[in-house]
Amino acid sequence: MKELAERALDLAQLKGAAYGDIRIIHLVTERIDVKNGVVEGLSLNRDQGFGIRVLVDGAWGFASSSRLNLEEVERVTAQAVEIAKASALVKREGVELGPPEAHKGTYRTPAKIDPFSVPLEERIALLLAADGEMRKVKGIAVAESGMTFIKEAQIFASTEGSYIEQEIIESGAGLEAMATSEDEVQTRSYPNSFGRHQATAGYEFIESMGLVENAQRTAEEAIALLTAKQCPSGITTLILGGTQLALQIHESCGHPIELDRVMGTEASYAGTSFLTLEKLGHFRYGSEIVNITADATLPGGLGTFGYDDEGVPAQCTPIVKEGVFMGYLTSRETASKIGQRSNGAMRADGWNRIPLIRMTNINLEPGEWTLEDLIANTEEGIFMDTNKSWSIDDKRLNFQFGTEIAYEIKKGKLGALLKNATYTGITPEFWGSCDAICNRDHWQIWGTPNCGKGQPSQSAHVGHGAAPARFRNVRVGVMR
Ligand SMILES: [Zn+2]
């Protein structure tokens, strides 16, 4: 593999590339799906290939192939150079990468148990046990559960002298119980909605989830939601649980800090950003207790790695400090435009995609409260958790979220269960109204394995650390 990489980079330079990099990837993905006591799906996919990115006359060219041999590497390298030359004819300004990045190293997800080494029967048995617990609850119409495992081995090499080997291992799983009545459907998920919670970790992460132990409660909550009170409409105090807060951070902070969106070079999927360049360093994004970091070094985070797909080492960068907007997610090219060095956020969805600026782990740093004290300190309000629906405008300012579950808070105590809970807000106003964040004991990194961006579409695996937090004067009960 090293020879193939060297040949590609030598050839790219011979053909006139000022810069070139190659990523060679072997990917194994396994997925198990169980529905109503039956194994519905079982897939094991193996994929390999390489992608070559070159810079010629200040413009990018990219080409890729699944055939890993010398002849093909030469053909694809020549093709990438031709594409770059064609792009250079229509470029507006030349790409500058800033100072060279030359790194040699290896990184491997510190997984304790290789998930692919655990017998398939054992993994299926765990899902069937959880499925059985859910279906014990009378009235459950559909019980679904699943597991996903990924092993990605990657070599990155560049003409600047980087040579990096990485192996990323991901493990994910989740449950979903659906209850129906004549005129209604309610769903409850565990540990998170949309299928699963995922981490860069081994099978020990699945074992620690307590899927079987939480299955019955999850199903009972789905049933209880059918006859729960509607979420009221009005303005009140809102406490968000960690899983919902993770998506709140994702949509209202993670996406608008992607510097390619800010610069207008990437605009698909609710596209640009209100966090324009003149705001950097002084715009009040949230209250003084709001501290947000982008941290690709956190053990277990779904956005954790050793080096990004430009070979830049994983970093922890302040994004919001004491409420003030301090930083973007950057690539080498975009960072150099604002006089900075890349903070290592370029990631590609496989060998046949060009890297884009993607979230790493975007975290709301913990505060000082216990959840018990926070609820006791809240005279009146609503607690909401687990995302059900979301929408946010093009600039990432006006948002609406719906959650699977909610409870009234009355005189410092959790009260009645509420269904179809929703809230809305404007990003800086909402974060500005944050007046309490729970402590590290309640803090957890949630994995979001389905972040879409780019054309052709790429799906990124990102993380969000969060503990429950309180927001004042929030409009709730806005959609039906
Ligand atoms: Zn996203």
Side-chain angles (χ1 to χ4, degrees):
M1 288 303 140
K2 195 167 187 179
E3 296 72 49
L4 291 182
E6 278 168 0
R7 178 61 190 144
L9 299 175
D10 287 347
L11 187 63
Q13 283 176 309
L14 266 171
K15 288 185 173 294
Y19 170 85
D21 60 35
I22 179 168
R23 291 176 299 117
I24 304 173
I25 292 174
H26 287 81
L27 178 69
V28 186
T29 312
E30 189 168 29
R31 173 81 199 159
I32 309 167
D33 287 293
V34 166
K35 187 174 179 182
N36 290 343
V38 176
V39 178
E40 270 239 317
L42 191 56
S43 66
L44 179 67
N45 289 308
R46 290 176 190 278
D47 182 36
Q48 65 167 36
F50 65 95
I52 294 172
R53 196 176 66 140
V54 297
L55 202 52
V56 184
D57 301 334
W60 287 116
F62 176 79
S64 64
S65 170
S66 61
R67 292 196 295 279
L68 277 166
N69 62 61
L70 192 62
E71 205 181 353
E72 183 70 352
V73 164
E74 288 174 351
R75 185 188 72 78
V76 171
T77 304
Q79 191 182 27
V81 169
E82 288 312 308
I83 291 168
K85 282 180 179 166
S87 303
L89 298 176
V90 295
K91 70 170 191 261
R92 268 175 284 178
E93 52 179 330
V95 171
E96 297 285 343
L97 289 179
E101 296 280 355
H103 305 280
K104 287 193 161 54
T106 58
Y107 174 85
R108 185 174 186 273
T109 299
K112 288 195 188 75
I113 306 169
D114 181 339
F116 294 91
S117 76
V118 178
L120 185 60
E121 308 80 68
E122 187 181 327
R123 289 179 280 162
I124 290 173
L126 179 60
L127 290 178
L128 286 173
D131 178 277
E133 289 296 310
M134 283 193 282
R135 286 184 303 116
K136 267 185 200 164
V137 178
K138 201 166 164 276
I140 288 298
V142 182
E144 286 183 279
S145 56
M147 289 183 187
T148 296
F149 302 101
I150 294 170
K151 190 184 280 184
E152 186 187 61
Q154 177 177 320
I155 291 169
F156 174 91
S158 78
T159 54
E160 291 174 346
S162 281
Y163 188 84
I164 294 160
E165 293 184 3
Q166 293 196 84
E167 186 182 74
I168 305 290
I169 294 172
E170 295 182 15
S171 298
L175 314 174
E176 195 176 284
M178 191 174 86
T180 54
S181 64
E182 263 171 33
D183 50 2
E184 200 160 2
V185 177
Q186 291 290 341
T187 297
R188 199 58 189 116
S189 310
Y190 179 83
N192 209 348
S193 47
F194 305 107
R196 64 196 195 267
H197 176 26
Q198 196 153 312
T200 55
Y203 195 71
E204 68 280 0
F205 177 70
I206 306 293
E207 290 176 331
S208 73
M209 275 184 184
L211 291 174
V212 177
E213 295 78 358
N214 285 280
Q216 187 184 335
R217 176 186 57 78
T218 301
E220 285 169 354
E221 286 174 356
I223 298 288
L225 281 165
L226 287 175
T227 53
K229 274 167 63 173
Q230 281 287 349
C231 172
S233 292
I235 290 178
T236 190
T237 295
L238 177 65
I239 297 179
L240 291 181
T243 61
Q244 172 56 30
L245 202 44
L247 197 72
Q248 176 74 49
I249 297 164
H250 182 95
E251 300 295 350
S252 69
C253 183
H255 279 303
I257 60 170
E258 295 166 350
L259 191 50
D260 52 356
R261 283 184 197 273
V262 176
M263 291 178 167
T265 51
E266 169 57 47
S268 52
Y269 294 96
T272 60
S273 174
F274 75 99
L275 289 173
T276 42
L277 292 172
E278 79 287 352
K279 293 193 175 77
L280 185 62
H282 54 84
F283 177 73
R284 180 146 288 283
Y285 178 89
S287 67
E288 280 180 4
I289 62 165
V290 174
N291 289 288
I292 297 175
T293 55
D295 190 352
T297 70
L298 274 177
L302 198 55
T304 299
F305 46 80
Y307 300 84
D308 79 352
D309 287 335
E310 290 188 307
V312 174
Q315 295 164 44
C316 179
T317 307
I319 300 298
V320 174
K321 203 170 175 183
E322 293 173 356
V324 178
F325 169 53
M326 296 302 290
Y328 292 108
L329 290 166
T330 63
S331 60
R332 293 184 60 186
E333 179 183 351
T334 56
S336 93
K337 284 186 184 165
I338 58 168
Q340 292 185 0
R341 203 155 172 171
S342 168
N343 54 29
M346 280 290 262
R347 303 171 72 197
D349 183 6
W351 51 266
N352 59 358
R353 293 286 184 272
I354 198 161
L356 299 172
I357 295 177
R358 305 309 306 253
M359 291 174 225
T360 54
N361 302 296
I362 312 301
N363 312 307
L364 177 65
E365 295 299 315
E368 303 191 329
W369 291 77
T370 66
L371 182 57
E372 204 176 26
D373 285 350
L374 184 58
I375 290 168
N377 181 266
T378 304
E379 185 57 24
E380 184 158 348
I382 298 180
F383 175 86
M384 295 188 196
D385 204 10
T386 317
N387 184 259
K388 185 155 103 178
S389 65
W390 73 91
S391 82
I392 189 158
D393 70 6
D394 271 5
K395 293 202 181 318
R396 304 264 162 195
L397 267 176
N398 293 281
F399 59 78
Q400 292 187 328
F401 288 103
T403 64
E404 281 185 0
I405 200 160
Y407 293 91
E408 276 179 353
I409 302 170
K410 292 257 189 238
K411 296 192 167 59
K413 287 198 167 64
L414 281 187
L417 181 69
L418 301 172
K419 66 181 167 190
N420 305 330
T422 58
Y423 67 97
T424 183
I426 298 168
T427 299
E429 265 180 31
F430 182 78
W431 287 106
S433 78
C434 179
D435 78 339
I437 302 170
C438 287
N439 65 28
R440 196 162 281 283
D441 294 341
H442 299 277
W443 196 86
Q444 195 178 340
I445 313 170
W446 293 96
T448 303
N450 54 359
C451 174
K453 184 175 178 181
Q455 282 172 335
S457 169
Q458 300 192 33
S459 177
H461 293 193
V462 309
H464 300 289
R470 185 171 67 186
F471 301 84
R472 297 292 195 180
N473 302 314
V474 179
R475 182 165 289 280
V476 301
V478 282
M479 309 174 279
R480 281 285 180 272

